[in-house]
């Protein structure tokens, strides 16, 4: 047997991913190297996960130090990284308690359980419906798939978990109608729809959702799985909308590359979960939490200002560039509508040593938050020239 890794993978790994024909083997900073020694500037960071790039010294020191002490204990015991990370998340957001899982979908599953239990106890078990937005993305489990407002993900997996209804983004009247007509347990939204095409919600709509939730005593859940942890230029994207969510979910960039998800609960719902209500074998894993703590502790105001400056650079370089129809997003979460099909742009960029993502019909950029300016400039120049051709 002397099969290449690509053909081995094709033979034995479930065919759920349309992978690019590239085998990656190592990285440093925002440069990633394939098996042939070709280098790429990474503008995707593993879909917004490797927040500080590859080989980041502080993150490696934090995770390996913990790896040498205890790699796992189960949730039957206390460990320092879990408690310190929960404290840091609460102190930086004003939320009160954290449940740790392993992924964005699990963070959202927790949020849905919290909202349903809160509403069932407060108003009755028939108050179970969660409102989400059309074109949203909340995960791949059967429940978070039901929450996801995109029919094409649903078709082959019926029946999904019941109790979800979807309204159009930025339509406050439709949201209000759904709240008054239904038995609603929660509203869940992304302030910038990521997988849906990097579409920021309007400030008016987010404010209207927060007001409806407050008036009707409905927990407001903000899904910060992709937008969180500095990605949009603030610690969490909701902070730029002037609202106070009851529940915030996050994952992706939080772990810097190790799997972790968190469901943060505010004052109103902080005591909803009691013993036995929820759990996770790996949740709060000390190595993942130690890495996440090193990520969170570096996202201070000065650093977030650098993220905003890099964002401003990308927007100004690509806005009105030839072959670019529009640029949308916040911070270093950027969607580019190109004249050419996004897939063609991404493939041509890859040829020229720049790895980009797509979201719907857009080219999506989610570089490491600390991408060096020279790498960013070079990547943008390649994207620009591919779009202009
Ligand atoms: C990626 C994503 C999820 C799912 O996260 P997983 O870690 O893949 O389960 C949920 N919500 C949003 C907004 C996401 O971008």
């Amino acid at each position: 047997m002397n099969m290449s890794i690509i053909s081995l993978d094709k033979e034995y790994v479930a065919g759920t991913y349309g992978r690019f024909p590239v085998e990656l083997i190592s990285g440093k900073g925002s440069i990633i190297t394939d098996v042939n020694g070709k280098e790429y500037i990474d503008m995707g960071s593993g879909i917004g996960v490797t927040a500080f790039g590859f080989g980041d010294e502080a993150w490696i020191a934090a995770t390996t130090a913990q790896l040498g002490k205890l790699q796992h204990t189960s949730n039957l015991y206390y460990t320092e990284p879990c408690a310190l990370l929960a404290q840091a998340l609460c102190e930086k957001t004003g939320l009160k308690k954290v449940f740790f899982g392993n992924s964005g979908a699990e963070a959202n599953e927790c949020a849905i359980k919290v909202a349903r239990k809160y509403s069932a106890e407060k108003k009755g078990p028939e108050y179970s419906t969660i409102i989400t937005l059309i074109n949203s993305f909340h995960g791949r489990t059967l429940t978070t798939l039901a929450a996801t407002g995109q029919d094409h993900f649903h078709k082959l997996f019926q029946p999904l978990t019941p109790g979800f209804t979807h309204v159009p983004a930025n339509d406050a009247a439709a949201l209000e109608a759904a709240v008054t007509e239904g038995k609603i347990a929660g509203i869940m939204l992304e302030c910038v729809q990521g997988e849906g095409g990097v579409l920021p919600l309007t400030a008016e709509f987010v404010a209207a959702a927060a007001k409806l939730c407050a008036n009707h005593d409905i927990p407001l859940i903000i899904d910060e799985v992709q937008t969180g942890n500095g990605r949009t230029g603030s610690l969490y994207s909701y902070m730029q909308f002037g609202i106070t969510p009851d529940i915030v979910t996050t994952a992706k960039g939080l772990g810097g590359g190790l799997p972790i998800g968190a469901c943060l609960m505010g004052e109103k719902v902080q005591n909803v979960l009691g013993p036995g209500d929820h759990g996770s074998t790996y949740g709060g894993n000390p190595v993942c939490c130690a890495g996440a703590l090193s990520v969170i502790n570096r996202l201070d105001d000065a650093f977030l200002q650098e993220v905003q400056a890099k964002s401003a650079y990308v927007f100004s370089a690509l806005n009105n560039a030839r072959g670019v129809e529009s640029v949308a997003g916040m911070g270093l979460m950027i969607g580019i509508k190109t004249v050419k099909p996004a897939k063609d742009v991404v493939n041509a960029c890859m040829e020229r040593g720049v790895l980009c993502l797509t979201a719907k019909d857009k080219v999506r950029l989610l570089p490491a938050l600390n991408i060096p300016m020279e790498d960013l400039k070079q990547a943008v120049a390649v994207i620009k020239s591919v779009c202009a051709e």
Side-chain angles (χ1 to χ4, degrees):
M1 289 286 273
N2 190 17
M3 292 168 92
S4 75
I5 291 302
I6 290 178
S7 45
L8 268 183
D9 188 294
K10 284 193 165 152
E11 172 118 10
Y12 294 112
V13 176
T16 52
Y17 303 107
R19 300 199 208 273
F20 292 102
V22 174
E23 181 196 343
L24 300 171
I25 55 163
S26 65
K28 185 70 194 162
S30 280
I31 305 295
I32 194 161
T33 305
D34 76 11
V35 70
N36 301 315
K38 180 173 173 178
E39 292 188 343
Y40 305 83
I41 302 171
D42 177 23
M43 295 295 285
S45 65
I47 318 188
V49 167
T50 49
F52 285 87
F54 304 103
D56 177 73
E57 280 173 20
W59 184 83
I60 289 179
T63 51
T64 53
Q66 182 58 42
L67 202 48
K69 291 185 209 161
L70 280 174
Q71 80 274 35
H72 175 82
T73 61
S74 90
N75 280 304
L76 299 174
Y77 312 98
Y78 296 96
T79 59
E80 182 179 83
C82 174
L84 292 182
L85 177 61
Q87 176 192 29
L89 289 169
C90 289
E91 287 182 355
K92 285 168 191 283
T93 59
L95 293 146
K96 302 294 185 198
K97 294 217 189 281
V98 185
F99 177 87
F100 290 114
N102 311 292
S103 66
E106 284 171 273
N108 286 338
E109 291 265 348
C110 178
I112 292 161
K113 286 178 76 170
V114 171
R116 286 206 170 137
K117 189 176 176 211
Y118 174 84
S119 298
E121 287 178 342
K122 211 80 199 270
K123 300 177 181 172
E126 69 278 21
Y127 282 80
S128 61
T129 299
I130 309 280
I131 303 173
T132 67
L133 300 183
I134 290 169
N135 200 44
S136 58
F137 183 84
H138 297 295
R140 300 283 196 164
T141 62
L142 285 169
T143 296
T144 57
L145 209 54
T148 293
Q150 302 190 53
D151 288 341
H152 67 99
F153 285 119
H154 294 169
K155 284 205 181 89
L156 300 171
F157 305 105
Q158 301 291 333
L160 300 178
T161 307
F164 291 89
T165 186
H166 312 292
V167 304
N170 297 325
D171 186 341
L175 188 63
E176 182 160 11
V179 165
T180 44
E181 286 158 22
K183 301 266 190 262
I184 305 306
I187 296 177
M188 176 155 75
L189 40 93
E190 306 153 83
C191 290
V192 184
Q193 292 189 330
E195 303 303 314
V198 198
L199 302 167
L201 298 181
T202 65
E204 296 74 34
F205 179 74
V206 175
K211 200 164 166 219
L212 269 173
C213 284
N215 289 346
H216 293 263
D217 194 11
I218 294 169
L220 174 62
I221 306 164
I222 303 295
D223 179 342
E224 298 264 7
V225 171
Q226 190 163 152
T227 51
N229 316 300
R231 176 54 56 190
T232 64
S234 53
L235 185 58
Y236 291 99
S237 68
Y238 76 81
M239 294 170 171
Q240 295 178 60
F241 288 80
I243 58 157
T244 307
D246 300 300
I247 303 174
V248 172
T249 60
T250 194
K252 289 198 168 96
L254 176 62
L258 286 174
I260 183 169
C263 176
L264 284 59
M265 292 160 273
E267 193 142 13
K268 182 155 140 162
V269 296
Q270 62 175 319
N271 295 317
V272 168
L273 294 180
D277 280 337
H278 201 38
S280 164
T281 298
Y282 282 119
N285 172 275
V287 179
C288 299
C289 286
L293 188 60
S294 87
V295 168
I296 283 293
N297 280 340
R298 280 194 285 168
L299 301 176
D300 58 16
D301 288 344
F303 183 83
L304 293 170
Q305 267 166 29
E306 280 175 41
V307 171
Q308 289 166 20
K310 286 172 190 167
S311 171
Y313 168 76
V314 176
F315 272 85
S316 71
L318 291 174
N319 256 326
N320 304 315
R322 254 178 73 193
V324 172
E325 286 180 3
S326 63
V327 189
M330 275 168 67
L332 288 175
M333 177 172 178
I334 298 173
I336 310 160
K337 180 89 186 73
T338 52
V339 174
K340 286 187 208 170
K343 264 211 150 69
D344 296 356
V345 173
V346 169
N347 285 330
C349 285
M350 195 171 76
E351 282 285 303
R352 295 189 206 179
V354 176
L355 299 183
C356 301
L357 305 167
T358 58
K360 285 274 173 72
D361 61 345
K362 288 186 182 170
V363 176
R364 174 172 44 158
L365 309 181
L366 297 171
L369 303 178
N370 68 342
I371 184 171
M373 202 58 205
E374 64 210 83
D375 293 343
L376 186 64
K377 283 189 169 159
Q378 202 182 324
V380 167
V382 168
I383 295 165
K384 251 177 115 160
S385 76
V386 165
C387 289
E389 277 158 15

